């Protein structure tokens, strides 16, 4: 199982499991921008390598200022973190909520952060019948909650949450944290993002990751937007110098690469529907979303589970996410990243081979019985 530590993209476990060197895998189990890091990342690493003999700016002023300009918000409304993961943990610790409402399925770190502080959870069931779309009806069970942690686009479904639903929760008196880790991939993100509203509302927070869009998960970089008073309180809980100097400089440099951002959005608009159609032609049930990954359900075929397919594909050099580990999904759900055309063609070929191999094994087992 690749999700030994709870997430996709674990190449060390892949090496140990399938006996190939990390560099040889095509990783569809984590959702990075397939254009790879923008060229500015390597430049920063080369030019500023010497700067590691100094402490990083404890207030991350350069990057905060750039992000404030980009989003048209006050710098004091932004706190930078060592990846969005740090900020999920921090915002939960700061609020210490009694009952947190969590969508199922959703990113496991929300629940993990809540359980770490001994908080309770209320489920918001997302159903296959509703295409895993969060609706007003699905919020009914979470009436007792005073705190909401929701992904938009949600992981692993890729579905956006309608901003009006989120505004209603805030109006109702709840504190709402929206994880917009994959929002930069959405072509009309301004129509869905609550980032600007969060900058002036003390019951609304928006978390952004820079690791997916800029393909720098090894660097760790994300930010949270909230009303300045709430951000100051969060900052007091953060470990000093949590964001290292190279991460700060990389964050500033990649924001300047507008061509990279435009190219990425255009690619996903074209490649996403193409990939979804090919997966459907392969017999999979696909739940398309707005992000750079897709949730699928495997056809009913003896021996064809997400775990078996993961192993079969892993041995052929392609890593996929077994989505049965997400609460609310069964053993036939998988999540695949979307990459460039040539990679996707290779992926589809290997998928067919792996499904055929599993059919052959289960046929043999049937004969032996
Ligand atoms: C929905 C979601 N939020 C946050 C994160 C964490 O992102 P980061 O790498 O910035 O910590 C992930 C990582 O997979 C994610 O899927």
């Amino acid at each position: 199982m690749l999700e030994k530590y709870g997430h996709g993209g674990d190449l060390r476990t892949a090496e140990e499991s399938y006996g190939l060197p990390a560099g040889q895998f095509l990783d569809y189990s984590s959702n990075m921008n397939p254009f790879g890091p923008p060229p500015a990342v390597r430049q920063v690493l080369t030019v500023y390598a010497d700067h590691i003999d100094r402490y990083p700016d404890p207030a991350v002023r350069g990057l905060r200022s750039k992000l404030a300009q980009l989003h048209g918000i006050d710098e004091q409304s932004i706190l930078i973190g060592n990846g969005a993961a740090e900020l999920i943990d921090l915002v939960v610790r700061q609020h210490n909520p009694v009952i947190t409402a969590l969508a199922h399925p959703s990113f496991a770190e929300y629940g993990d952060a809540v359980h770490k502080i001994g908080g309770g959870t209320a489920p918001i069931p997302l159903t296959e019948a509703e295409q895993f779309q969060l609706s007003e009806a699905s919020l009914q069970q979470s009436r007792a909650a005073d705190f909401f942690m929701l992904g938009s686009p949600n992981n692993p479904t890729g579905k956006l949450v309608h901003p009006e639903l989120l505004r209603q929760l805030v109006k109702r008196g709840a504190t709402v944290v929206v994880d917009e880790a994959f929002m930069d991939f959405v072509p009309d993100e301004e129509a869905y993002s609550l980032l600007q509203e969060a900058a002036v509302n003390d019951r609304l927070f928006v978390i952004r990751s820079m690791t997916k869009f800029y393909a720098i998960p090894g660097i760790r970089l994300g930010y949270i937007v909230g009303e300045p008073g709430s951000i100051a309180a969060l900052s007091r809980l953060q470990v000093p110098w949590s964001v290292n100097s190279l991460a700060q400089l990389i964050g500033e440099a990649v924001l300047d690469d507008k061509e990279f951002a435009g190219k990425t959005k255009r690619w996903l608009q074209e490649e996403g529907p193409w990939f979804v159609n090919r997966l459907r032609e392969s017999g999979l049930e696909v739940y398309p979303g707005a992000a750079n990954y897709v949730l699928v359900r495997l056809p009913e075929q003896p021996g064809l589970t997400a775990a078996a397919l993961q192993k079969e594909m892993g041995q052929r050099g392609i890593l996929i996410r077994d989505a049965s580990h997400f609460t609310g999904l069964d053993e036939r759900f998988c999540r695949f990243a979307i990459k460039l055309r040539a990679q996707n063609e290779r992926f589809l070929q290997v998928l067919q081979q792996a499904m055929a191999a599993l059919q052959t094994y289960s046929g043999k087992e049937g004969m032996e019985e």
Side-chain angles (χ1 to χ4, degrees), residues 7 31-32 82-86 88 107 109-110 151 153-155 179 181-182 207-212 217 220-222 293 335:
H7 297 285
N31 310 306
M32 297 306 140
N82 194 308
E86 184 196 15
I88 292 169
F107 187 48
E109 286 302 315
Y110 311 149
N154 187 32
N155 177 6
D179 179 1
F182 292 95
I207 294 177
R208 289 281 183 112
S209 168
M210 292 183 75
T211 70
K212 285 101 181 37
R220 319 297 308 124
L221 198 59
Y293 50 85
R335 193 196 64 202

Side-chain angles (χ1 to χ4, degrees), residues 8-69:
D10 180 353
L11 292 171
R12 178 74 189 261
T13 300
E15 272 184 334
E16 289 167 4
S17 308
Y18 309 126
L20 292 172
Q24 280 187 20
F25 289 105
L26 203 46
D27 182 15
Y28 276 69
S29 72
S30 69
N31 310 306
M32 297 306 140
N33 187 332
F35 290 113
V41 173
R42 195 163 290 278
Q43 270 162 21
V44 169
L45 289 174
T46 314
V47 176
Y48 292 98
D50 291 349
H51 283 215
I52 55 168
D53 65 357
R54 310 171 193 172
Y55 272 95
D57 172 5
V60 201
R61 280 161 283 196
L63 180 55
R64 273 172 57 222
S65 158
K66 272 209 156 168
L67 286 167
Q69 226 180 343

Side-chain angles (χ1 to χ4, degrees), residues 25-26 78 107 185 237 263 273 281 334 342:
F25 289 105
L26 203 46
I78 304 172
F107 187 48
F185 288 96
L237 267 190
K263 179 170 80 171
E281 284 166 13
C334 304

